[in-house]
Amino acid sequence: LAENFEIAGEIKPGMVVAIDPRNPGKLILARGAYNRQVAGIVSGANNLSAGMILPNLTENEKSLPVALSGRAWVFADATINAIKAGDLLTTSEISGCAMKVTKFKRANGAIIGKAMTELKSGTGLVLVLVALQ
């Protein structure tokens, strides 16, 4: 399930986005590890489009579908910790990327979802079951 949001900046499918505190109702690229303003993943990476997109109420050209639940591919960072299926994911220090949760107290409110595929090292795409927490 995705909803169209106006997103500032250079954004592509698979990037993690966050609430824009300066522009109510709009999103920006997620920055920083364990970002509690995380809002979802831009749908469409790895040719997996959203199954359902809620109506675009703003009808803005800059609106993109953001996965709020269900499956989506996300850019992920496994340079420090490998990601395995079932791992919880949060935002990483690499803008727009997800990483494995290792600090569970800090992750409260910053969880994107659960990994459904693995990434042993480096950066790449991981299939996520989106479940914002």
Side-chain angles (χ1 to χ4, degrees):
L1 175 66
E3 184 174 350
N4 285 304
F5 286 91
E6 187 175 334
I7 305 172
E10 296 283 327
I11 304 292
K12 55 186 174 180
M15 290 184 157
V16 180
V17 291
I19 295 166
D20 184 347
R22 294 188 182 108
N23 295 294
K26 297 180 183 177
L27 303 178
I28 55 175
L29 188 65
R31 299 182 190 283
Y34 298 93
N35 183 339
R36 289 187 178 176
Q37 294 174 322
V38 67
I41 301 165
V42 178
S43 293
N46 214 16
N47 295 318
L48 179 62
S49 58
M52 179 185 291
I53 301 175
L54 297 175
N56 185 357
L57 301 177
T58 62
E59 296 188 22
N60 187 311
E61 292 177 7
K62 293 184 179 182
S63 293
L64 293 171
V66 175
L68 305 174
S69 67
R71 294 181 304 151
W73 288 94
V74 68
F75 287 106
D77 174 17
T79 54
I80 297 174
N81 295 296
I83 297 171
K84 297 177 187 158
D87 285 341
L88 293 174
L89 300 179
T90 187
T91 57
S92 80
E93 288 297 333
I94 299 175
S95 296
C97 284
M99 70 175 186
K100 176 181 177 174
V101 169
T102 58
K103 299 175 182 175
F104 290 92
K105 286 184 181 180
R106 193 170 170 204
N108 188 22
I111 293 173
I112 300 163
K114 281 189 177 186
M116 296 182 75
T117 59
E118 68 176 28
L119 182 61
K120 293 181 181 179
S121 62
T123 58
L125 287 170
V126 170
L127 185 63
V128 178
L129 181 56
V130 180
L132 297 171
Q133 300 175 32

